[in-house]
Amino acid sequence: MTELLDRLERYYDAVPRAGARAEEHGPLTLFVREGVGWPFYARPALGTDGPVARADVDRVRARQRELGVPECFEWVAETTPSLREAALASGLDVHEHPLMVLDPLAPPPLLPELPADVSVRLLAPGDPALPTALTVPHLAFAQPGTGIGTAGRAELSAALPLHAAPGLVATAEARVRAGLTVHAAAVEGGTALCAGQYNPVGEVCEIVGVGTLPSARRRGLALAVTGALVADARERGLTTVFLSAGDEDVARIYARLGFHRVATALIAEPPLR
């Protein structure tokens, strides 16, 4: 297990560097996005084996405020246990998420049968569904959980100018061409109702950003999209495929694909006001 967690730590340190600069702040590394896209976070510096103190967290938070980026920290509880207490002492809320790794011997999963007008596919540059695929996870995470929500196609259309502006789409397409990101989506009538991606580094990848339009939940779309990403990662020869589940209910869904829990991923951020 120690070797696996070390492998994940090396991945966590490597993957943001394709789109961010790294600032070292003692036992913490702050990744700062260069260009457009999701903002990054701070996490334990690779190889840190000493404790992280509240002062370390306070110092990075001050730098994040100076830069105008979210005061966010991500790490693995079992790898850097001292960061939880330091984050709480700094006034941050800490959220737990099951960290799950795909069993390399798991058989191909039985995926749900989807309606005939819904197709699940990988998205190449120029795919007309890519803009909605970039947007739908934002609506999904704004209404978390697995229950059917209120946001639908109208809200998706309204959010496109913010989350799928030409520069964002161009960046996503460039990452696909460079082999840095693989996108998949469940598409109906040209619109992505569910989307997700993975980012390979060497033989390791993390499946991230899987989200379903809240009004389209409970149709098996997230399971099908994750299954497509898993199948593609395996086809490419990736040996370590992992993800962080939103909660225990979502973790049970991923377990159907052959994922099992190995640790706890933690996210710290300021309390909602």
Side-chain angles (χ1 to χ4, degrees):
M1 185 61 69
T2 298
E3 193 279 332
L4 173 61
L5 293 182
D6 287 345
R7 196 183 319 149
L8 298 189
E9 284 299 306
R10 292 192 295 273
Y11 175 90
Y12 281 131
D13 181 77
V15 74
R17 295 178 184 269
R21 72 174 188 272
E23 295 185 1
E24 304 301 329
H25 297 272
L28 298 171
T29 299
L30 172 61
F31 293 104
V32 183
R33 165 72 70 181
E34 294 186 321
V36 296
W38 290 85
F40 283 111
Y41 41 77
R43 60 169 292 102
L46 188 63
T48 295
D49 55 7
V52 181
R54 172 182 175 173
D56 300 315
V57 175
D58 288 343
R59 183 166 56 250
V60 172
R61 291 184 67 190
R63 176 60 174 155
Q64 289 169 323
R65 290 193 295 272
E66 179 184 348
L67 293 168
V69 299
E71 296 174 50
C72 183
F73 296 74
E74 298 188 8
W75 72 101
V76 177
E78 291 77 2
T79 304
T80 315
S82 60
L83 184 47
R84 182 198 293 261
E85 182 178 346
L88 291 171
S90 183
L92 299 175
D93 284 347
V94 177
H95 310 284
E96 296 189 358
H97 303 277
L99 180 60
M100 309 180 75
V101 172
L102 181 68
D103 182 349
L105 300 179
L110 294 174
L111 297 177
E113 184 174 350
L114 300 179
D117 55 352
V118 175
S119 64
V120 176
R121 64 176 186 257
L122 302 180
L123 303 181
D127 192 307
L130 184 57
T132 49
L134 296 176
T135 305
V136 72
H138 293 275
L139 300 182
F141 301 147
Q143 294 185 11
T146 59
I148 297 175
T150 56
R153 287 176 180 265
E155 289 77 11
L156 181 58
S157 296
L160 281 172
L162 177 61
H163 300 300
L168 293 171
V169 174
T171 296
E173 291 178 331
R175 287 184 61 86
V176 172
R177 292 189 188 96
L180 297 173
T181 301
V182 175
H183 293 271
V187 181
E188 181 183 63
T191 297
L193 300 182
C194 177
Q197 61 182 268
Y198 75 77
N199 304 296
V201 175
E203 295 185 351
V204 182
C205 76
E206 180 182 19
I207 294 176
V208 297
V210 177
T212 302
L213 189 67
S215 64
R217 287 175 178 155
R218 301 290 180 90
R219 296 168 60 182
L221 302 182
L223 191 65
V225 167
T226 306
L229 292 169
V230 166
D232 186 73
R234 281 180 152 174
E235 209 171 287
R236 292 171 186 245
L238 301 182
T239 58
T240 302
V241 181
F242 74 102
L243 53 78
S244 296
D247 54 34
E248 296 296 340
D249 289 338
V250 176
R252 282 189 283 273
I253 295 173
Y254 289 135
R256 294 166 55 187
L257 293 171
F259 286 89
H260 63 279
R261 185 169 185 166
V262 297
T264 301
L266 299 179
I267 299 176
E269 55 193 0
L272 293 175
R273 301 189 183 281

